Structures are given as C-alpha cells and as structure tokens.
Amino acid sequence: MATTVTSKGQVTIPKPVRDHLGIGPGSQIAFRRAADGSIVIEKADGTRQPSRFAKLVGIAGPGPSTDEIMATTRGE
C-alpha cells in the first residue's frame, strides 16, 4: 500500500493498516527501526497484535511428559 506525503509531512494511514493496528482518531502511533533497518509502525500504547505464530502457542495441549516420551522411544 502506498500513500503520499503532504507538504506538511503528513500521510493518511490506509484503512486496512488502521484496522489491523486498532487505531482511530486520537490514537498515538510509534515508529521504530527494526534490526534489518526497516521502519515499523505500531500503536504507541505498547500493545502489539500477536503474531500469527503467537496465536498458535498452546493450542495442541500439554503433550506427553519427558518420562512418557522416553518410555515410548524405548518401546516400553
């Protein structure tokens, strides 16, 4: 998505980006430089949308214990 910078240095944040970040009129945003040198925009209150991977953590259940895994690999 592209946008144009005005003579005052202002831009309109595209609606899909505003919706994803959960920002609206009066919201504050922050810009930070990522490790790869790119610039990241995020909501300034410090809350971030969880990544698609973070949303999956824990959905498979607790799984077997170490003792259960060892017994299975030993054929017990």
Side-chain angles (χ1 to χ4, degrees):
M1 289 175 258
T3 188
T4 303
V5 179
T6 68
S7 61
K8 293 183 179 183
Q10 300 170 332
V11 296
T12 299
I13 301 170
K15 183 167 181 4
V17 175
R18 294 192 314 264
D19 291 345
H20 178 74
L21 293 175
I23 59 176
S27 295
Q28 292 191 349
I29 58 171
F31 298 91
R32 67 176 173 83
R33 185 183 310 260
D36 65 359
S38 63
I39 302 298
V40 177
I41 179 175
E42 56 194 9
K43 198 170 181 180
D45 65 4
T47 60
R48 291 186 191 178
Q49 294 285 340
S51 74
R52 61 184 174 171
F53 301 110
K55 292 178 185 177
L56 299 174
V57 171
I59 65 169
S65 68
T66 303
D67 290 334
E68 293 169 330
I69 294 170
M70 295 303 293
T72 301
T73 57
R74 292 181 182 138
E76 299 172 3

